[in-house]
């Protein structure tokens, strides 16, 4: 069947025009600043997402907001379907009422963006574009406002999930007052795409100028790792076992630290007593994008997913069981991180995309079926597109 | 030959009696506080290493300072030889002159501690204990004082390396003023054991009480990852290719984030221009303890070591080459983290130790030779004990 060869990108971002207008109007980060190019004298847009952004921010253009550019990028790289999400920092910096209004408007905008996209030539029931909506997750927002937005999104036919950062409504995602939100998201069958924005305190990077390398390469995955670990420790996955959480950047460092995490929990009886399972079990309940840039990394993530069931409460203590790496492929999904990591030189295909595709193809122990799953079949199933 | 079956622990700590006396004399962390046990009414020593230590600190006893206890632990677990290092936070909190004097005294103390240990019954040229010395790495210390201590250690026959934290002399290990220290350590053939202490800013852990779990499970490995990445970016491994750096806790998250790191560097031409090789190459120049608690983690670290040579400047761009996982075993070394992670219940063997041994034994793709290397042969070779 034709569907077995689809390429689906589940990690691809946009700043919707309504949002870029807001970024242009702002005088502090996040903002888009129009300056004059020192090289050409022409006006140049620069995006400043974080405080102390190196190099005066990153140059931005229509690839950050125009649907045609998204489709062009998809065509160049053979991507059939994209699940588009707003890029960080979402609505984090807004007061509650403004965040709520804008979330609702941006969700409608994204629905229109997706609904108006072409259908696939060989699968006319499929659009090229689907989306992750936004919740107004800001300090001070009343939980009912969040639930209302969940309801809004669940009724928008092209929105299949939500993207969120790690701060919740101010105290992180392990805040128990978010339980009704996890419940509503589970009930609505919306996938939660967890994505970093803040990294860790910039003092960790030291005084040397290494551009964006340290916050992006390390800070981003650390943030995802911390947020997911705090979710595990808070028992969210015990209370909401049908919640579908998708982790950006292959879960950051969580896979590699998961056995250490389990050991640290084992040595703390109070924390251990709160959880139904060994920490490693919960990694098998999660979904991971395959944005890890190397076949060994992707294969390893697949290993930790595959082994997870051997760490359920019922099997715990039976020792290390060698798991079939192929099983883990069912919870990993191709992504590009477009429009970030653009190529430095004019080139047909983006290196960041090509590398992730090559990495999937080179995973040792995966056959054609596993690779096709990760490239697209898992996404079609997870988001209910088949 | 008998040596092929030795078990060598390269990650095992001590607070030497001279150091515990200092900790007992202090009124702020790090300190040892003698309180009365609420259960038994007997006096009880508690160690407070970090600010805001949960649970009033950890109970400590002779296993933290007595040689007999170290040997008893080794006998219980079949450990033939241990390379003992002072536990964090070393001398970090002392003014320069005090740090320098104490470093020198503690190095002499550790030499005596090792020299006075028994020899191995079946290998009478080997002692049961060897050690990592200390440098007075504190802000304000003159570099010549550090070099003097390197010379001292290099003349103490049972000290085979040094242990260090991540702050250097105040600006981190990527501080170029440490270049003479790296040079001296390389020349002296001393192994540098890089070990975390500070983690990341505690605000990352959120308001919920999860005991030590988050700072230990995540903060410690993050710190090692950041420090090693900063070393890579600073070009230290290009300038000192014979430097032998051993990373605690299997390098933290560095292996899993190394391809992402390489991609981030590739997208920053200024940072990329400073390095001779792809970031992944440098992981093959490092040594990793096998304190990772799971066979998949250990096997993955072995993979990233094995693939490193395919990312040298001369081979870069040739695509992903599937490397033989067995090769990576040559740079991994068994460790216990004793006396931390003690068992909760009275038990003959420590779970944390048993798990790491079982994990080594269960690594998929490793044969007897690789497992024996990691359990002891690599350490005997690296520290010049055969």
């Amino acid at each position: 069947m034709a569907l077995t060869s689809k390429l689906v990108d589940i990690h691809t971002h946009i700043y919707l025009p309504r949002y870029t207008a807001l970024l242009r109007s702002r005088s502090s980060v996040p903002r888009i600043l129009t300056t004059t190019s020192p090289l050409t004298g022409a006006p140049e847009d620069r995006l400043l997402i974080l405080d102390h952004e190196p190099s005066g921010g990153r140059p931005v253009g229509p690839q950050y907001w125009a649907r045609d550019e998204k489709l062009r990028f998809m065509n160049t790289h053979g991507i059939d379907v994209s699940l588009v999400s707003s890029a960080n920092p979402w609505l984090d910096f807004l007061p509650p009422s403004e965040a709520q209004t804008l979330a609702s408007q941006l969700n409608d905008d994204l629905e229109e963006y997706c609904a108006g996209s072409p259908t696939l030539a060989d699968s006319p029931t499929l659009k090229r574009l689907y989306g992750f909506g936004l919740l107004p997750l800001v300090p001070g927002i009343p939980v009912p406002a969040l639930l209302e937005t969940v309801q809004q999104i669940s009724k928008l036919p092209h929105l299949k999930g939500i993207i969120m950062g790690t701060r919740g409504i101010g105290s992180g995602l392990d805040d128990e007052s978010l339980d009704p939100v996890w419940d509503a998201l589970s009930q609505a069958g919306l996938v939660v795409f967890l994505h970093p924005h803040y990294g860790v305190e910039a003092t960790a990077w030291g005084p040397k100028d290494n551009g964006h390398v340290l916050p992006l390469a390390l800070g981003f995955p650390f943030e995802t790792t911390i947020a997911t670990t705090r979710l595990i420790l808070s028992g969210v996955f015990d209370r909401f076992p049908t919640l579908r959480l998708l982790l950006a950047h292959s879960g950051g460092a969580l896979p590699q630290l998961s056995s250490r995490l389990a050991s640290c929990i084992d040595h703390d009886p109070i924390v251990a007593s709160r959880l139904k399972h060994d920490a490693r079990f919960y990694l098998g309940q999660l979904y991971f994008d395959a944005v890890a840039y190397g076949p060994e990394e992707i294969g390893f993530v697949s290993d930790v997913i595959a082994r997870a069931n051997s760490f359920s409460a019922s099997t715990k203590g039976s020792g290390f069981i060698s798991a079939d790496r192929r099983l883990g492929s069912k919870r990993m999904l191709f992504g590009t991180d477009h429009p970030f990591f653009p190529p430095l030189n004019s080139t047909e295909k983006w290196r960041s995309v090509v590398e992730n595709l090559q990495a999937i193809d080179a995973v040792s122990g995966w056959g054609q079926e596993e690779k096709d799953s990760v490239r697209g079949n898992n996404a079609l199933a997870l988001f209910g597109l088949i």
Side-chain angles (χ1 to χ4, degrees), chain A residues 83-361:
Chain A
L83 281 117
V84 178
S85 51
S86 288
N88 52 300
W90 315 290
L91 309 167
D92 289 23
F93 52 93
L94 296 174
S97 66
E98 203 179 328
Q100 190 184 358
T101 305
L102 192 58
S104 168
Q105 292 169 336
L106 290 171
N107 290 331
D108 285 335
D109 290 353
L110 187 60
E111 170 62 25
E112 195 183 307
Y113 171 98
C114 299
S117 73
T119 55
L120 255 74
D122 61 352
S123 305
T125 59
L126 275 182
K127 290 278 178 188
R128 300 290 304 276
L129 299 172
Y130 294 89
F132 291 95
L134 283 178
L135 301 184
L137 285 160
V138 297
I141 193 89
V143 170
L146 298 171
L147 300 179
E148 206 175 286
T149 313
V150 173
Q151 290 315 309
Q152 179 212 10
I153 294 169
S154 71
K155 288 178 188 141
L156 295 172
H158 296 86
L159 300 198
K160 301 298 181 185
I162 60 153
I163 185 167
M164 64 165 67
T166 64
R167 295 214 168 161
I169 55 176
S171 302
L173 299 180
D174 52 0
D175 178 351
E176 272 146 33
S177 55
L178 292 174
D179 272 11
V181 179
W182 303 124
D183 190 37
L185 289 164
S186 304
Q187 301 278 344
L190 292 169
V191 174
V192 178
F193 184 19
L194 181 62
H195 194 288
H197 167 64
Y198 298 96
V200 294
E201 281 290 325
T203 49
W205 314 133
K208 288 181 85 91
D209 181 4
N210 288 303
H212 286 94
V213 171
L214 290 164
L216 274 186
L218 306 184
F220 262 33
F222 288 174
E223 182 184 354
T224 307
T225 307
I226 295 169
T228 311
T229 304
R230 286 173 56 182
L231 277 172
I232 291 172
L233 294 177
S234 74
V236 160
F237 302 111
D238 287 328
R239 292 198 296 284
F240 304 101
T242 61
L243 180 66
R244 298 185 299 170
L245 189 74
L246 168 65
L247 302 183
H249 315 117
S250 284
L254 182 64
Q256 202 187 346
L257 301 179
S258 55
S259 290
R260 179 174 174 84
L261 173 64
S263 178
C264 289
I265 293 171
D266 272 347
H267 286 81
D268 188 323
I270 297 172
V271 176
S273 71
R274 295 185 201 140
L275 296 180
K276 281 196 191 160
H277 305 281
D278 182 287
R280 287 165 281 199
F281 170 79
Y282 301 100
L283 275 75
Q285 308 297 105
L286 303 170
Y287 296 86
F288 298 78
D289 75 23
V291 183
Y293 305 94
E296 291 79 14
E297 285 84 350
I298 293 175
F300 170 62
V301 175
S302 191
D303 282 340
V304 302
I305 300 169
R307 77 182 180 189
N309 274 333
S310 70
F311 292 101
S312 76
S314 54
T315 50
K316 198 172 164 176
S318 53
F320 296 121
I321 295 158
S322 195
D324 183 343
R325 163 176 288 193
R326 288 177 298 179
L327 298 174
S329 67
K330 290 291 167 206
R331 286 176 174 269
M332 300 188 70
L333 302 94
F334 169 69
T336 62
D337 225 340
H338 181 261
F340 300 98
F341 300 93
L344 299 171
N345 306 311
S346 155
T347 172
E348 196 202 349
K349 295 199 178 183
W350 289 30
R351 180 164 177 178
S352 54
V353 179
V354 170
E355 279 184 346
N356 273 315
L357 282 171
Q358 285 176 341
I360 292 168
D361 204 50

Side-chain angles (χ1 to χ4, degrees), chain A residues 16-132:
Chain A
L16 287 161
R18 189 188 302 273
Y19 189 84
T20 58
L22 173 68
L23 293 185
R24 286 180 196 284
S25 74
R26 289 174 53 82
S27 55
S28 60
V29 293
R31 65 187 297 204
I32 292 172
L33 190 67
T34 305
T35 55
T36 305
S37 165
L39 292 175
T40 62
E44 185 177 69
D45 283 339
R46 286 191 168 254
L47 172 66
L48 292 99
I49 308 183
L50 301 161
D51 280 319
H52 318 296
E53 191 95 26
S55 339
R58 27 190 130 201
V60 288
Q63 73 273 29
Y64 283 77
W65 46 79
R67 185 171 63 194
D68 283 353
E69 290 295 321
K70 184 68 80 185
L71 290 165
R72 191 196 314 273
F73 167 80
M74 290 166 62
N75 292 340
T76 302
H77 295 88
I79 296 166
D80 297 291
V81 177
S82 289
L83 281 117
V84 178
S85 51
S86 288
N88 52 300
W90 315 290
L91 309 167
D92 289 23
F93 52 93
L94 296 174
S97 66
E98 203 179 328
Q100 190 184 358
T101 305
L102 192 58
S104 168
Q105 292 169 336
L106 290 171
N107 290 331
D108 285 335
D109 290 353
L110 187 60
E111 170 62 25
E112 195 183 307
Y113 171 98
C114 299
S117 73
T119 55
L120 255 74
D122 61 352
S123 305
T125 59
L126 275 182
K127 290 278 178 188
R128 300 290 304 276
L129 299 172
Y130 294 89
F132 291 95

